[in-house]
Each structure stands twice: as C-alpha cells, then as structure tokens.
Amino acid sequence: MSTSTPDGLVLRGFTPPLRLADFKLIAFDMDSTLINIECVDEIAAAAGRKEEVAAITEAAMRGEITDYKESLRQRVALLKGVPVSALHEVFDQRLQLNPGAEALVRAAQAAGLKTLLVSGGFTFFTDRIRDRLGIDYTRSNVLGVEDGLLTGRMVDQPWGDICDGEEKKKMLLATCALLHIAPKQAIAMGDGANDLPMMGVSGLSVAYHAKPKVRDQAMVAINDGGLDRLLEVARP
C-alpha cells in the first residue's frame, strides 16, 4: 500500500515519521541522484557522441538493458581518444550537486550516520564529490588513460571490474559489516535500475526523480523538490 502526498512524495510500506538517527549509514548513487548529470554522457559530448551514449544510458537506467556491465563497456569504448581535460571541463562547467544534496548529507552526518557513495560512474568524479562533501566511503569505476587520452576501457580493481547493481549491493552490505550494523540500519538512495539491488537490502529505500521501475519499488519516492525532502520523512 502506498500513500501519495500532493507535493510529490510517495510513501510505501511504513508510517512516517522516522528518525534519521535511527539509521547508521546512508548510501547514495551519484549520477542523476547526488549530482545533476550522467557524467558518461557529458564526456561523450567531447567526442561528438553524446546522443548515442545517452540512449544507452537511458535504456540501462530504465532497466531495459539487463547487462549493466556490458552497457557500460559499450559506452566507455565510445569515449576512446577523449582527452582527460574533457573530464575536468565536465566537472568544472557542467556538474552540480542536485538541490538539497549538501543539506541532506550534512544532516545525516550531524545525526551520526556514515556516508557511502556507490556509482556506476567514475572515480574522477566520485573522488571529487567525496572530498567536497566529506563522504566516508566510495566505490566506482576507473577510466583507463594513456598519454592524456581515454583508452576506451576501464581498469580492473581489487574488488572486481565494474561497479554494477550487484557490486553496489555488495559494497553496501560490506560497509554495514565494517560498521557492525544490520542492513536495515542503512538508507539507500538512487534513480536507476542498477540501484535496485542495494535499495532492496536497505532498511529505507529512496527513489529520487527516478525511473518508473525504481519509483514503483522504493519505500520513499521523491518526485518533486530536492534530496533534502527525505528529512520530511526521516526527521533529524
């Protein structure tokens, strides 16, 4: 059973209000959740291939492409030859935090929650967002670079090759284990189908301006306004 409010919040499976301090961890997707863009699409613009890459991204986020890893490999291959300077341009000129992002992160930190950023995107961006917001843990993908140009491939990491939906879930569960907390003490926020695995094991799943499949499964759907609208449901 779900309850819709006239101002763009949909609640499902619980009765608010909750207390933010009852949770110990909050996990964020990055692209189109914590930030306003899909970074891979914006990098592709430098190669003149934004429309092609964005179409794959949209299908993957809607859950129409079930093999996220392969979809990302396809998109990254189209970035071959793009200079690293294009990534700096995307970060400096196009990337912004979504409305309410910093307010929500600060409220969570003040309430004693640890913060986790798990992204199917790239460390170039997650590292910078981590440093800007003081996020505790991150997991994302490393773009291969040779002679200042993207290779069109990603670099393997000790935990695996690509951070897809299953890896996001694994990282959330591993972080809970590290913190000696139960997954039900974690909040997971995302917008795309690859966020559903981590949202499914968390105690509170939050869809932010999300794809229909994600909105339909989340306990909280924020369809209007900023990320900090979660504070109307889980009060500081």
Side-chain angles (χ1 to χ4, degrees), residues 6-26:
D7 54 353
L9 277 177
V10 179
L11 312 180
R12 181 179 292 105
F14 71 101
T15 302
L18 304 173
R19 292 180 66 250
L20 193 59
D22 288 338
F23 298 91
K24 302 300 180 186
L25 174 70
I26 185 165

Side-chain angles (χ1 to χ4, degrees), residues 141-205:
N141 306 303
V142 178
L143 288 168
V145 177
E146 291 181 3
D147 300 322
L149 303 176
L150 300 185
T151 63
R153 299 183 301 275
M154 285 166 285
V155 178
D156 287 351
Q157 299 180 75
W159 47 263
D161 52 355
I162 291 174
C163 185
D164 62 353
E166 284 304 308
E167 185 60 37
K168 288 188 178 192
K169 180 177 79 171
K170 283 173 57 180
M171 183 60 179
L172 184 144
L173 293 174
T175 306
C176 289
L178 178 69
L179 297 172
H180 304 290
I181 64 172
K184 69 179 181 180
Q185 293 173 287
I187 301 169
M189 301 189 71
D191 73 297
N194 61 326
D195 298 313
L196 286 171
M198 73 168 178
M199 291 168 69
V201 297
S202 66
L204 184 65
S205 56

Side-chain angles (χ1 to χ4, degrees), residues 29-235:
D29 168 54
M30 183 176 70
D31 295 52
S32 296
T33 301
L34 204 57
I35 65 173
N36 64 321
I37 59 172
E38 294 286 338
C39 292
V40 67
D41 297 356
E42 300 304 321
I43 300 168
R49 310 193 81 160
K50 181 175 180 178
E51 186 174 339
E52 184 178 357
V53 169
I56 302 172
T57 300
E58 176 69 12
M61 293 302 99
R62 292 180 68 89
E64 295 163 2
I65 296 176
T66 55
D67 189 340
Y68 179 85
K69 288 187 177 183
E70 184 56 32
S71 82
L72 187 58
R73 290 189 186 101
Q74 290 174 8
R75 286 174 281 165
V76 169
L78 294 171
L79 306 180
K80 185 176 180 179
V82 171
V84 172
S85 60
L87 278 65
H88 288 277
E89 180 181 330
V90 169
F91 184 80
D92 293 336
Q93 299 182 17
R94 306 184 200 177
L95 185 152
Q96 297 178 3
L97 293 175
N98 267 328
E102 186 160 8
L104 177 57
V105 170
R106 299 299 178 225
Q109 292 167 334
L113 282 72
K114 294 295 186 180
T115 49
L116 168 64
L117 179 56
V118 276
S119 175
F122 310 116
T123 53
F124 181 92
F125 301 101
T126 57
D127 286 356
R128 286 162 171 77
I129 296 300
R130 174 200 64 200
D131 294 346
R132 178 171 174 178
L133 294 176
I135 287 174
D136 297 295
Y137 310 102
T138 64
R139 178 146 295 178
S140 57
N141 306 303
V142 178
L143 288 168
V145 177
E146 291 181 3
D147 300 322
L149 303 176
L150 300 185
T151 63
R153 299 183 301 275
M154 285 166 285
V155 178
D156 287 351
Q157 299 180 75
W159 47 263
D161 52 355
I162 291 174
C163 185
D164 62 353
E166 284 304 308
E167 185 60 37
K168 288 188 178 192
K169 180 177 79 171
K170 283 173 57 180
M171 183 60 179
L172 184 144
L173 293 174
T175 306
C176 289
L178 178 69
L179 297 172
H180 304 290
I181 64 172
K184 69 179 181 180
Q185 293 173 287
I187 301 169
M189 301 189 71
D191 73 297
N194 61 326
D195 298 313
L196 286 171
M198 73 168 178
M199 291 168 69
V201 297
S202 66
L204 184 65
S205 56
V206 185
Y208 179 71
H209 293 251
K211 305 305 181 188
K213 185 175 182 179
V214 182
R215 289 200 307 264
D216 291 346
Q217 296 186 43
M219 296 169 68
V220 179
I222 301 172
N223 299 323
D224 293 300
L227 284 155
D228 56 345
R229 295 208 62 196
L230 180 60
L231 301 176
E232 299 173 30
V233 177
R235 295 178 179 172

